[in-house]
Amino acid sequence: MRYITDRKRAVGKGSAHTGAEHHWFMIVSSVALAFMMPAWIFIFGNALGSGYDAALATMSRPFPAILTALVLIVGMMHFHKGGRVMIEDYTAGTTRKVLIMAYVAFSYVMIACGLFALVKIAL
């Protein structure tokens, strides 16, 4: 049985030096989403309750289209960073690497598909 102090166990492990950056990104993105989501829900709800042509006309205007793009990008990046931390905390080894790659790919594919659909509707 080896008697190792806590300090000895921690030496050489280092830190990633990205904890504060990640924390601030999550705070800023959550505040941005807190302001954007009510406006987006109001606009999208009105478009959803109207007919097909009125919904297309609503989403073709610049403000709803830009707001939708911002909500999509900021929301999915917030989803991406938060989910990645969850995977890093609760998995290990090759499983962790595969899950992170799949999760990152899923996040970016969702952003690309959403923006493609928005461009098709808005233009």
Side-chain angles (χ1 to χ4, degrees):
M1 180 173 197
R2 295 176 50 195
Y3 294 101
I4 301 175
T5 63
D6 292 336
R7 182 179 182 281
K8 182 65 175 176
R9 269 190 219 103
V11 168
K13 300 276 186 187
S15 71
H17 296 289
T18 59
E21 175 188 350
H22 173 78
H23 177 72
W24 276 107
F25 176 84
M26 294 301 282
I27 287 176
V28 170
S29 64
S30 61
V31 169
L33 286 170
F35 284 111
M36 286 190 294
M37 284 304 289
W40 184 78
I41 288 172
F42 178 75
I43 291 169
F44 186 74
N46 286 338
L48 191 62
S50 61
Y52 178 76
D53 293 330
L56 282 179
T58 300
M59 296 311 282
S60 295
R61 292 192 313 240
F63 181 72
I66 291 170
L67 183 64
T68 301
L70 284 173
V71 166
L72 179 67
I73 292 169
V74 173
M76 287 307 296
M77 290 307 293
H78 187 85
F79 170 80
H80 157 73
K81 295 240 184 201
R84 183 175 178 153
V85 168
M86 180 182 63
I87 291 170
E88 288 171 351
D89 286 347
Y90 296 109
T91 59
T94 305
T95 305
R96 173 188 290 179
K97 292 175 186 173
V98 170
L99 285 175
I100 287 174
M101 287 188 293
Y103 200 78
V104 169
F106 175 74
S107 300
Y108 286 120
V109 165
M110 291 301 293
I111 290 172
C113 290
L115 289 177
F116 177 75
L118 181 63
V119 166
K120 293 267 297 185
I121 290 171
L123 299 179

